[in-house]
Amino acid sequence: MGAFPKLKREEKNITQKELSDYLGYTTSQCISNYERDICPVPIKMLAKICKYIGIPEREVKHFFLEQQALRFDQFFNNKKIKKAIKKVKK
């Protein structure tokens, strides 16, 4: 999830420090953690990040919906999950 804002941030030549200052953080560690998917970006902060970087809302929404769709597909294509679903249907 964090790769998308990171890519956009780097395209605009915005540093993690600049972004963290804008968000009111004392260090850039939170931004680093978001971008490495160590912790999720709170929705409120995601909105601020997108505003600062200049990422349109529809682009963010499309990206996250695509990511969720991929996770959903991976989950349901897992052989163990398919077996468990078959047992439940019987």
Side-chain angles (χ1 to χ4, degrees):
M1 196 224 69
F4 179 70
K6 178 183 180 181
L7 176 69
K8 295 298 186 178
R9 177 185 61 74
E10 290 176 340
E11 283 177 2
K12 302 276 182 146
N13 294 315
I14 298 169
T15 66
Q16 287 182 343
K17 176 75 170 116
E18 291 169 329
L19 182 56
S20 66
D21 288 346
Y22 173 77
L23 297 173
Y25 296 135
T26 55
T27 71
S28 59
Q29 189 61 50
C30 275
I31 305 303
S32 176
N33 290 346
Y34 296 156
E35 291 181 353
R36 292 180 295 141
D37 287 326
I38 291 174
C39 61
V41 181
I43 295 296
K44 186 177 183 179
M45 285 299 168
L46 181 61
K48 289 181 179 183
I49 290 169
C50 292
K51 180 180 178 183
Y52 185 72
I53 296 174
I55 306 171
E57 182 182 322
R58 67 184 177 286
E59 191 174 342
V60 176
K61 188 184 297 184
H62 177 74
F63 173 80
F64 285 103
L65 289 173
E66 285 294 318
Q67 290 298 308
Q68 286 301 103
L70 288 172
R71 287 186 188 125
F72 185 84
D73 290 344
Q74 288 170 347
F75 178 80
F76 281 101
N77 286 325
N78 181 309
K79 290 180 183 180
K80 289 180 183 177
I81 299 299
K82 285 182 178 180
K83 286 181 183 178
I85 291 172
K86 284 181 184 178
K87 286 182 181 178
V88 171
K89 287 183 177 180
K90 289 182 179 182

